[in-house]
Amino acid sequence: MTADPLLLDHWFGKGLTANPDGPALRIGAASWTYRELDRIASAWAAALVEGGRPARVGVLASKSFEAFAGFLAVLYAGAAAVPLGPETPPARNLAVAEAAGIGALICDPAGAPQLPGLLPLLRGAGRVIAPRVDERYRPDNAVPVAEQAAASAPGPAPPPAVVPDAQRSPDDLAYLLFTSGSTGTPKGVPISHRNVCAFLSAITPRYELSPTDVFSQVCEPTFDVSVFETWTCWAAGACLRVLTRLQALDPVRFANNHGVTVWTATPSLVAALQARDLAPPGTLPGIRYTVLAGEPLSVATARYWRRAAPASVVDNLYGPTELTVTCTGYRWPAGEPARWPDSATVPIGEPNTGLDVLLWGGDGRPAEDRGELCVCGPQMFGGYLDPADDHGRFLEHGGRTWYRTGDQVRRDPRDGLVHLGRLDGQVKVRGYRVELAEVERALMRLTGSPASVLLVDRPSGPVLVAFVMAHRPLDLEGARAGLAARLPAYMLPAQLWQVADFPLTASGKVDQRWLVGEAGRLLNSG
Amino acid sequence: MAAPWDQTFETELRRQLPGLSADAELTPQAPLAAYGLDSLATIALIARLEDAYGVRLPDEAIAPEHFRTAATAWTLISRLTAATATGTATVTERGR
């Protein structure tokens, strides 16, 4: 048995060796084999390093060919990928690209309108790869790379590595993702090859996969569950089938039509299917594995999915971006665990191989069965892009450094770790982390008034709503537009209400229970 | 002016538009999202329209741009029903 790779792109190499002429990627009616994807990524990587190797490369793309080939090309170039969302407001992408210090850009047609605005940020040679971008947006010095089909001709030998492995280290960064920050600016999370390879070494043995498997790909590249979808698939030489969010809401059609065997989703997506009964019992017979990640999973939702896909193993995976995709996992037992009520939360289970966990009690000491989940090991990132963000996030204990997740958990002797809730104002919307404080700060800046943002449960899933406290008339429409220009869509409150006063609790804090009740009343009357 | 679509279409579409009152007119260009057609409602609408008209939407037709307005949705449905009636192949992508 050979040792696991220590560079992320070498996991693609495993798939390339196992299934060179099989499909690596399918988007709509288009398809690319492993060999084709490898050739194109190599050509793009060669273009990226010409005139100087960039340290970080922005990939401004949705779930398009450019996103997947681009990410691979950036790694082949010995650089770190910085995914940027075409639907993210330009101001936020600019802030992220500037903080990351990107030296080159790869862009798809969806990202094109934002491309000109990002060009002034590029350092060094400033290469741009945008083969399908309209001339209106494409800079004159864009690299004339071979388009998809042109590079697909079969040839004798694979091209040599663009950047020799000897010039690369597992401690180099593989990618940089940005998450919502409570201070009001997004936090950069740098993930090294060592981190993500440790994740893949821990996660791939959970699944018995082969080149005949087909993975669904639903998550945007800015959300790290996409790292699970893409790289566990490619490590096995399997086929990555990209689905739009609308298509993912119709698994009975799309999973069956495309022969999907490994289905990945956020619990909120499955809960949405459940709310409308869009996946009746037995309608998903071909799914072998279901991986749910990104948010707490309710027992009712897990049961619903099990009935829809009776042949599927169901895994509930947990982890913050800082611990590289997922760091614990729980496998739903084969027999129905009737002892759980529908309203319970599925455990997050045991830590990945190689990781140690510690429950930190409220008294500043390790606790036996309940506390803040702290994790240490090779999947732990090395600190935020801005060291100021490290404050309070790490714990020194027993001669080791631990990452404090901010998640309150208890240890169950039978089921492992069970998630109890957050210790702060962080919530999850469709799997994305949202710091309520970040939205509140943005609202306060726009309106000049105190604001309170909360997550309320609706039949179709949780939604963000916001109250602004002011006696004078407020331009709520203006505030709404202002938010949309600054924050990504998942951070935008669905409703914005003005109130004259926030009732306070006895301890002088804003009465959250009153706000929740008021929000429910307003939503129902609307 | 009479609506450019038939009664079945009107009934099925209204069923998925909680924000459109029964006595309000459904106009061709009004954005359906404003009446509450979210992505889940879109999936439900597609299933019901397929049953009602005996057609199967090809994968690429299951995209938000086809369900932006009543007019875009009706254009899609009438094109598919016409193709079925004349025996023109409506290519449905099949999995392996």
Side-chain angles (χ1 to χ4, degrees), chain A residues 379-397:
Chain A
Q379 285 183 231
M380 187 179 85
F381 77 140
Y384 293 99
L385 183 62
D386 179 354
D389 289 326
D390 290 344
H391 180 74
R393 300 317 316 151
F394 291 94
L395 177 73
E396 298 296 331
H397 179 77

Side-chain angles (χ1 to χ4, degrees), chain A residues 43-415:
Chain A
W44 289 13
L48 284 173
V49 299
E50 211 182 296
R53 179 173 147 193
R56 291 162 192 171
V57 179
V59 183
L60 177 58
S62 189
K63 296 176 297 184
S64 60
F65 177 73
E66 286 84 347
F68 298 96
F71 199 109
L72 191 58
V74 172
L75 300 180
Y76 280 0
V82 184
L84 301 167
E87 289 179 16
T88 305
R92 195 176 180 90
N93 274 337
L94 267 172
V96 163
E98 188 158 29
I102 59 171
L105 261 170
I106 294 171
C107 181
D108 74 359
Q114 292 205 28
L115 181 57
L118 288 165
L119 294 176
L121 287 180
L122 298 185
R123 301 171 180 182
R127 313 294 277 177
V128 174
I129 295 180
R132 293 191 297 153
V133 164
D134 193 279
E135 280 173 4
R136 256 181 312 161
Y137 301 115
R138 195 167 49 191
D140 297 336
N141 64 343
V143 184
V145 288
E147 258 216 66
Q148 320 175 11
S152 66
V162 177
V163 176
D165 290 346
Q167 292 177 27
R168 300 174 61 190
S169 155
D171 291 316
D172 292 346
L173 297 188
Y175 62 85
L176 247 165
L177 287 178
F178 284 76
T179 72
S180 175
S182 56
T183 55
T185 46
K187 298 194 287 192
V189 182
I191 298 295
S192 69
H193 285 270
R194 191 184 300 285
N195 294 147
V196 67
C197 291
F199 163 70
L200 288 171
S201 291
I203 207 77
T204 50
R206 286 182 82 94
Y207 312 102
E208 282 178 33
L209 302 168
S210 80
T212 58
D213 278 297
V214 178
F215 276 63
S216 64
Q217 203 286 315
V218 176
C219 295
E220 285 295 322
T222 49
F223 180 23
D224 69 353
V225 171
S226 68
V227 171
F228 170 87
E229 295 171 321
T230 306
W231 294 92
T232 44
C233 173
W234 285 350
C239 172
L240 190 66
R241 157 54 71 177
V242 177
L243 299 178
T244 65
R245 182 170 161 82
L246 195 58
Q247 293 172 342
L249 287 170
D250 196 357
V252 176
R253 179 189 306 253
F254 286 95
N256 289 335
N257 272 2
H258 296 305
V260 171
T261 58
V262 184
W263 181 264
T264 308
T266 55
S268 60
L269 192 141
V270 178
L273 299 174
Q274 186 185 4
R276 287 220 173 211
D277 194 21
L278 290 173
T283 49
L284 295 165
I287 296 179
R288 300 173 55 226
Y289 292 106
T290 301
V291 177
L292 299 168
E295 302 162 299
L297 169 66
S298 81
V299 167
T301 299
R303 282 201 175 119
Y304 179 78
W305 187 260
R306 278 276 299 173
R307 281 194 285 270
S312 177
V313 165
V314 175
D315 264 359
N316 181 37
L317 304 186
Y318 156 89
T321 304
E322 289 86 344
L323 294 167
T324 315
V325 194
T326 66
C327 62
T328 77
Y330 179 80
R331 181 152 293 180
W332 185 267
E336 265 289 321
R339 60 198 164 93
W340 288 337
D342 267 356
S343 58
T345 302
V346 177
I348 57 173
E350 301 296 335
N352 289 359
T353 308
L355 299 183
D356 291 310
V357 301
L358 175 72
L359 305 193
W360 194 246
D363 56 355
R365 277 188 305 207
E368 198 47 50
D369 54 3
R370 184 183 287 251
E372 180 182 3
L373 179 62
C374 301
V375 180
C376 172
Q379 285 183 231
M380 187 179 85
F381 77 140
Y384 293 99
L385 183 62
D386 179 354
D389 289 326
D390 290 344
H391 180 74
R393 300 317 316 151
F394 291 94
L395 177 73
E396 298 296 331
H397 179 77
R400 304 170 76 188
T401 302
W402 305 72
Y403 176 69
R404 304 181 62 156
T405 64
D407 286 306
Q408 188 79 10
V409 301
R410 75 178 165 83
R411 200 193 305 270
D412 183 281
R414 194 157 36 171
D415 304 321

Side-chain angles (χ1 to χ4, degrees), chain B residues 3-88:
Chain B
W5 46 76
D6 63 23
Q7 190 56 47
T8 305
F9 182 82
E10 173 102 14
T11 307
E12 291 300 345
L13 189 51
R14 277 181 179 272
R15 195 192 288 274
Q16 306 299 337
L17 303 176
L20 182 68
S21 65
D23 51 355
E25 192 195 350
L26 179 59
T27 58
Q29 302 306 333
L32 298 177
Y35 298 126
L37 189 82
D38 58 12
S39 44
L40 277 168
T42 305
I43 295 297
L45 175 66
I46 289 168
R48 295 195 63 106
L49 289 175
E50 285 185 336
D51 285 350
Y53 291 97
V55 293
R56 182 94 176 138
L57 267 63
D59 281 8
E60 62 275 15
I62 300 177
E65 56 265 28
H66 290 298
F67 299 91
R68 199 155 284 148
T69 66
T72 57
W74 177 246
T75 302
L76 176 71
I77 292 300
S78 43
R79 211 179 62 214
L80 285 170
T81 48
T84 310
T86 58
T88 318

Side-chain angles (χ1 to χ4, degrees), chain A residues 442-466:
Chain A
L443 256 179
M444 284 190 260
R445 271 198 295 267
L446 286 162
T447 61
S449 305
S452 191
V453 179
L454 55 151
L455 192 71
V456 291
D457 279 317
R458 303 298 294 164
S460 55
V463 292
L464 279 181
V465 298

